[in-house]
Amino acid sequence: MSMSLICENLYQFTTYVPPMDFTLHQYLLAAEPAVLFAAGTVPQARAALPQMREVLNGRPLKYVFVSHMESDESGGLPVLLEAWPELTVLCSALGARELPGWGYEGQVRVSGPDAPLQDGALSLRFFDYPSEVHLQDGLVCLEGRSGIFYSADLMLRFGNAGGKVIEGSWQDEVAGISPERVPNEARRQKLQEALLSASPKLIAPGHGFCVRLHGA
Ligand SMILES: [Fe+2]
Ligand SMILES: [Fe+2]
């Protein structure tokens, strides 16, 4: 597990899986209040915890955004809840119903396109994401002040990408959302339209290279 500073206040925690040439990332946005994008797997959450505490310097982690229920996105929740009992999970309504199965019994705020979150320096906007694997209602998330878009399994890339940022365009990245990721064509188009109504500055993916966006 390694930690990299991607841009101001954005810390990336990465596990690299050599046989797959694939990275798993979590991101801590150390704003006031602080939010973590993806809980990570249990081993990753355990490994990242001491560094997260160091970055937060005594402040609590207030939110964890969980895109969908899968080991890399939600597995580490019990580890995080033990460290920060006041933690609130931000997830979809379906995700909230699944949380007890992941051993999480802390606070939950059901989030979605109609339920953005303003809290201190955070301005979170959510997009419906019919996530691959389950093909049901997950979410992806944009933090509007920093322009950071956490894409979960969208816009992912292979490669040893820890700490690395490439250049790209938002239009191309949105157009590149393939049927393998979101097979339902109507829902894929709806997601693409919703995403194009936003203009992030940086894509922080769950896997692969971060993308700094042109013109942002
Ligand atoms: Fe996933
Ligand atoms: Fe993932």
Side-chain angles (χ1 to χ4, degrees):
M1 210 281 307
S2 60
M3 182 177 86
S4 318
L5 180 64
I6 298 292
C7 58
E8 193 192 355
N9 281 348
L10 187 70
Y11 296 83
Q12 181 191 59
F13 299 87
T14 300
T15 303
Y16 178 57
V17 187
M20 293 170 71
D21 193 24
F22 198 59
T23 46
L24 281 74
H25 307 300
Q26 302 169 262
Y27 299 86
L28 175 60
L29 180 58
E32 182 59 58
V35 58
L36 181 69
F37 297 105
T41 61
V42 169
Q44 184 162 343
R46 283 206 183 109
L49 194 56
Q51 283 166 299
M52 289 182 192
R53 285 191 201 274
E54 214 177 300
V55 169
L56 292 171
N57 196 17
R59 293 193 293 127
L61 176 66
K62 188 164 182 183
Y63 298 111
V64 183
F65 172 75
V66 176
S67 163
H68 53 277
M69 297 296 145
E70 206 175 358
S71 58
D72 57 336
E73 303 284 345
S74 53
L77 284 174
V79 175
L80 300 171
L81 185 65
E82 205 183 320
W84 294 287
E86 301 302 314
L87 191 72
T88 295
V89 167
L90 308 174
C91 66
S92 69
L94 176 69
R97 290 199 297 277
E98 290 186 290
L99 275 173
W102 291 89
Y104 178 83
E105 289 171 350
Q107 301 178 72
V108 184
R109 179 196 189 266
V110 172
S111 302
D114 299 330
L117 175 69
Q118 305 285 338
D119 184 0
L122 290 182
S123 174
L124 299 175
R125 178 175 168 192
F126 306 96
F127 302 85
D128 280 331
Y129 166 36
S131 330
E132 101 315 342
V133 181
H134 317 288
L135 306 174
Q136 293 195 64
D137 306 323
L139 298 172
V140 283
C141 181
L142 170 69
E143 201 293 299
R145 303 236 166 121
S146 59
I148 292 161
F149 177 69
Y150 174 70
S151 71
D153 298 345
L154 291 175
M155 303 162 182
L156 65 76
R157 287 173 168 85
F158 286 81
N160 192 352
K164 292 179 190 150
V165 182
I166 60 173
E167 305 282 321
S169 92
W170 181 237
Q171 282 71 21
D172 290 351
E173 294 293 326
V174 172
I177 297 172
S178 65
E180 287 98 77
R181 295 262 86 80
V182 183
N184 180 311
E185 196 179 331
R187 297 199 65 182
R188 189 169 70 252
Q189 277 174 11
K190 201 172 155 217
L191 170 64
Q192 286 169 319
E193 272 168 35
L195 291 176
L196 287 175
S197 75
S199 43
K201 294 179 182 152
L202 181 98
I203 299 168
H207 312 278
F209 299 88
C210 288
V211 185
R212 189 168 290 120
L213 298 161
H214 301 312

